[in-house]
Structures are given as structure tokens and as C-alpha cells.
Amino acid sequence: MSAVPLHESGVKESTPEPPQQGLRRSMDTRHLVMIGLGGVIGSGLFVSSGYTISQAGPLGAVIAYLIGAVVVYLVMACLSELAIAYPVSGAFHIYAARTMGPATGFTTAWLYWLTWAVAIGSEFTAAGVMMQRWFPDVPVWIFCLIFAAVLFTMNAISSRVFGESEFWFAMIKVAAVVGLIILGGAALIGFHPAAQGHYPHLFENFNTPGGLFPNGFTGVMVTVLAVLFAFSGSELIGVAAGETADPVRSVPRAMRTTVLRLVIFFIGAITVIAATIPYDKAGLDESPFVTVFSELGIPYAADIMNFVVITALLSAGNSGLYSCARMLFSLADEGHAPKAFAKLTKRGIPMIALLVSLVGGLASLVSSIVAPTTVYLVLISIAAFATVAVWMSIAASHFFHRRAFVRNGGDVRALPYRAPFFPLVPILAFTACFASMVGIAFDPTQVAALYIGVPFTVACYVFFHFRYGKGRKKRVGEQSPATETATDTEPEQVPAAV
């Protein structure tokens, strides 16, 4: 199977196949925006934000999310330029392969697959825990199976159906976040007619018995990785670029819109939650969104919000399953995974890759039986490690890509989109992500991510060396133009020069 042709770029294209043989370019800007929001607004905000508040304190949680928002902007600026240069499905490892070598591309791809395979499990588990509000006697794993069947069906029909379902899923989530900010904000300034008992006023809860930072500022730093996980999913726009009708126009617009909305939604929501729920009562046993609406005293609001949270979690899982399948497809297309993963149905769906990705997500069944809330935190920590590692790869890829582009005679002013303040943006993005990884070494509840993530990364490099290294490297790289190194491309063929 040849790679998806790099339309509107100077890179030579593979021989085109009949339309029905490839991934379909059937999504536009509104789908990309909602895929980005859908992937981000999930358990990281609706569930694990309670953990962040309990560890960092109210003000610390807001600061941690502000740091996360800045990092997301930096990474998305790098990604926008790369996604237009290489508009292919499952793009992250192609960026790394072209700019830093096939071994790094291979490792990046499997890290991102790990991100969402584990994240799918965390979304299923969290949704199952939320369902127990209504069905306390039904085991969480049963809900996991039901949710897995629903999401598989949505992904198995077509990318257009996935885009449409994710659009409406995300609309529900956005409405929930906006509702929390408006109603919760109004309650904090005194408008809470249905609330029972004392209701905190403005930032009353920010002044804790332990001060503004009850666990010290280190409590803020160790939660940054969990916060970055909350923002993970915004990079899905890059994954979907290969199935976008006009990536040059749609990708930058979707990136800007997504980052702006995320900053407003996340910072607004976490501020309201932190000001409403005492930090020592926040946790993982109930969504902070449900707690806030319960405090407001609106009839049935907590049940409605619980339903919305479940929808949000399934939406994030939906995006994750899509991403997993496309990454396996891209790996197989490059010759770095079994060829079966590159087989498409008549509707352009990589069905085998989809099934294998779903199996990875069903690891949640184990976690939901053993200890749902405890193992959930371990799952999101591992997913966060892999996400941040991929973000580091995106930042580094952008740095080397732009440098090679200029060295080969490219005109930066001719780029459809260029990340600002080069090379400061990719350097800051890489450094911030690396610092967040160092921080989790000081958090006993998240340090397991290092024990699993670091060996997994090393194992990917070692496996690539013995399986694809030396004698096979050139032949494997030649299977698709996307794996050529940027430095081997003639100046007039540099892909960013659209």
C-alpha cells in the first residue's frame, strides 16, 4: 500500500490508487475543531481535575492549568506548520522520521499508539465508574464492554460518520463546560437560590488552612503532567490532516480555534471548580462537574451532568480509538508494522488496525475489576508520559524541519503557516515537556509512568535497530516519500514550500 499522496506540496507523489483504495479526505474545518476539542475535553478535565485540585490546592490548580495552556499553544504552533508540510494520516511519526531518522519516527508512532490505547482504557473505566451513580450493583467492566461496542461501531462505518459523531459529542461537552462556567460563576458572586447551606463566595476557598499552596509549590509542579494529559488530544488535528479536504486552509484555522477555546474552557472551568469545592474534598470518586451542580441545588442537575460527563468520556475514547487505528495504519504503510494493519475496507477504514486498538483499550476491564480509581490514575499517568514524549518529538521535528528548510534554500515567507518566534517556540515547548516528566519522579502516585514509559521507549529503539536497522533502513524508508529525510530533499522540493 503506498502512502497517502502529499497534495499541494513539492514532495513527489506515489502512483495514485483508485479513490476507494485510500483513506478518504472527507472532513473539513468544523470536524477538525471538534475532533481536537473532543479528544481534549475528556477524563482529564471532567474527572482528574479533582486530583489536581487536591494535590496542588485551588490556586495551584489554576496555575498548573495555565502552564498547561501555554505548553499546548507552543506545541500546536509547531504542529500547524508540520501538519501542512506533511498532510498524511497518522502524521507524528512521519515528522520525526523525516527530520530525525526512522528510528525516532518508529518510536514516536508506538508511543502515540500507547497514549491512546491506555487512554481509551482510562475513559472506559471512568465512564463505568460514573454509571455506578445509577447502577451501583452493576460491575464497571460490563459498562466497559458496552461502551467499547458502541465506539467500535462508530469508527467502523466511515471517517465521515466518525467526524459527525465526534462533532455532536463535542457540542454536548462544550455546552456542559459553558454551563458550568456561567452557572458556577454566577453562584460564586451570590446568585445561588437553590443551594442548601453555606455556599463559598468568590475565591473564599482559595485561602486554605495551609495557605495558598497547601502542599507547597512542589504540589503544583508534580501535577503538571496530569494537566498536560488533560490537554492531550489537541494534537489529533494533526492525525486527521490526512483525511481533511483542504489541509492548507483547514489545519491552521482549526489549530487557532481549538487552542483559544481550550484556554477559555479549561481555565474558566478549573477556576469555578477550585473556588466551589474545598481542595481536601476533591478527588477521583466523583466528577467535580457533578459535585458543583449538586452544590447548586438545581433539580436533577447532578444526574444530567453525570450523563454529560459520560458522553464526554466516550467522546474522548471515540477520538482515541480513531487515532490508534490511524497510527497503526500509518506504521504498516511505512513498513514498520504488519501489513495487515494497512488493509482498508471499501469505506476506507483500517479495520484490523481498529480491532487491535480496541483490544488495547479493553485493558480497562482489568483495571475496572482490580481497583477502578487507583489503577485509573496509573493509566492516565502512563498515557500522559507517552503524550508528552510525542509532544517533545513534535517540537524537535519542527526545529529540525525549519532548519533544514532554510538550509536547503526555502523562503520562510512563502510558508502557508509558520510558527512564530523560531527557534524559541520549539525549544520552550521541548523544555517544558521534559521538565514535566522530571516532576512526576517526585509524585509516588504517578512515578509508575516512568517505570513503564522509559523502558517502553528504549525497547522501541532497540527493536527498530535489530528489525529495521542498517541493511534494511534504506529499503524500508523508500516505501513511502514521507520517510525521506528532509535534508535529502532538493530545495525546490522541500514539502513546506507550498
Side-chain angles (χ1 to χ4, degrees):
M1 184 73 65
S2 61
V4 177
L6 301 185
H7 297 293
E8 298 185 47
S9 71
V11 179
K12 61 182 179 180
E13 299 187 20
S14 301
T15 302
E17 296 177 332
Q20 70 271 21
Q21 295 295 319
L23 293 174
R24 310 296 177 82
R25 291 185 179 272
S26 56
M27 291 187 279
D28 53 30
T29 303
R30 72 183 182 95
H31 293 124
L32 286 183
V33 171
M34 286 308 181
I35 286 171
L37 291 176
V40 178
I41 304 177
S43 61
L45 176 63
F46 283 107
V47 181
S48 61
S49 56
Y51 165 80
T52 303
I53 294 172
S54 67
Q55 296 297 306
L59 179 60
V62 175
I63 292 175
Y65 273 82
L66 281 170
I67 294 173
V70 172
V71 174
V72 167
Y73 167 74
L74 296 174
V75 174
M76 292 305 103
C78 298
L79 180 59
S80 292
E81 186 172 324
L82 291 169
I84 294 173
Y86 313 104
V88 292
S89 189
F92 304 127
H93 78 101
I94 292 175
Y95 307 158
R98 289 183 64 91
T99 59
M100 293 180 286
T104 301
F106 177 83
T107 302
T108 298
W110 281 108
L111 276 169
Y112 199 65
W113 183 86
L114 177 68
T115 294
W116 281 108
V118 174
I120 292 170
S122 69
E123 306 295 349
F124 286 166
T125 301
V129 171
M130 297 296 105
M131 286 294 292
Q132 290 197 313
R133 176 183 179 89
W134 302 311
F135 306 100
D137 297 327
V138 179
V140 173
W141 67 267
I142 291 181
F143 293 117
C144 290
L145 281 179
I146 295 173
F147 297 149
V150 172
L151 296 192
F152 174 78
T153 301
M154 289 181 178
N155 276 268
I157 298 175
S158 73
S159 61
R160 182 77 184 187
V161 169
F162 162 78
E164 285 294 338
S165 63
E166 193 55 39
F167 177 85
W168 293 107
F169 266 152
M171 285 289 287
I172 295 174
K173 292 193 288 188
V174 168
V177 175
V178 171
L180 176 91
I181 294 173
I182 294 175
L183 296 178
L188 290 171
I189 62 176
F191 185 75
H192 46 76
Q196 301 294 321
H198 174 73
Y199 199 94
H201 181 69
L202 289 178
F203 303 113
E204 176 184 331
N205 278 341
F206 277 52
N207 187 21
T208 72
L212 292 178
F213 303 101
N215 295 321
F217 200 75
T218 55
V220 178
M221 300 311 297
V222 299
T223 60
V224 169
L225 187 72
V227 169
L228 292 182
F229 172 72
F231 281 104
S232 67
S234 51
E235 73 287 335
L236 280 168
I237 294 173
V239 175
E243 293 173 85
T244 304
D246 185 6
V248 172
R249 178 184 62 87
S250 299
V251 171
R253 182 182 301 176
M255 292 287 187
R256 288 191 294 268
T257 303
T258 300
V259 171
L260 177 62
R261 292 180 183 180
L262 285 177
V263 171
I264 296 173
F265 294 160
F266 272 65
I267 303 304
I270 199 67
T271 300
V272 169
I273 293 170
T276 304
I277 306 174
Y279 87 98
D280 55 350
K281 294 183 179 179
L284 295 173
D285 55 342
E286 182 179 65
S287 168
F289 277 65
V290 174
T291 304
V292 169
F293 277 87
S294 296
E295 293 291 328
L296 289 173
I298 302 174
Y300 305 109
D303 286 318
I304 294 174
M305 186 53 58
N306 199 58
F307 170 77
V308 170
V309 170
I310 292 171
T311 302
L313 297 173
L314 295 182
S315 170
N318 193 33
S319 295
L321 189 56
Y322 169 88
S323 181
C324 274
R326 267 54 183 183
M327 191 58 71
L328 286 184
F329 168 84
S330 187
L331 275 167
D333 196 45
E334 295 296 309
H336 292 162
K339 293 181 180 179
F341 293 160
K343 291 183 178 180
L344 301 175
T345 66
K346 292 181 179 179
R347 293 178 176 269
I349 302 299
M351 187 62 68
I352 297 177
L354 186 65
L355 285 168
V356 171
S357 298
L358 183 63
V359 170
L362 287 178
S364 62
L365 296 180
V366 178
S367 70
S368 64
I369 294 172
V370 177
T373 57
T374 303
V375 180
Y376 167 76
L377 188 58
V378 174
L379 286 175
I380 66 170
S381 297
I382 296 170
F385 173 91
T387 296
V388 172
V390 170
W391 285 5
M392 291 169 65
S393 173
I394 291 173
S397 295
H398 174 250
F399 177 84
F400 291 114
H401 166 77
R402 176 77 76 85
R403 192 175 67 171
F405 176 74
V406 173
R407 184 173 63 242
N408 289 333
D411 183 2
V412 174
R413 293 172 298 179
L415 296 175
Y417 175 86
R418 61 181 182 272
F421 306 113
F422 183 86
L424 185 60
V425 165
I427 291 174
L428 284 178
F430 186 93
T431 303
C433 289
F434 181 77
S436 71
M437 286 190 174
V438 174
I440 66 171
F442 301 96
D443 185 358
T445 59
Q446 297 188 85
V447 73
L450 294 179
Y451 298 149
I452 296 174
V454 173
F456 181 86
T457 303
V458 173
C460 286
Y461 273 101
V462 172
F463 179 83
F464 183 90
H465 174 75
F466 287 104
R467 182 67 175 84
Y468 303 108
K470 297 182 179 180
R472 296 193 57 186
K473 188 177 296 183
K474 181 177 180 181
R475 183 171 64 83
V476 172
E478 290 177 347
Q479 290 184 9
S480 167
T483 57
E484 298 171 7
T485 59
T487 55
D488 292 336
T489 308
E490 292 299 323
E492 66 272 14
Q493 291 181 323
V494 175
V498 179

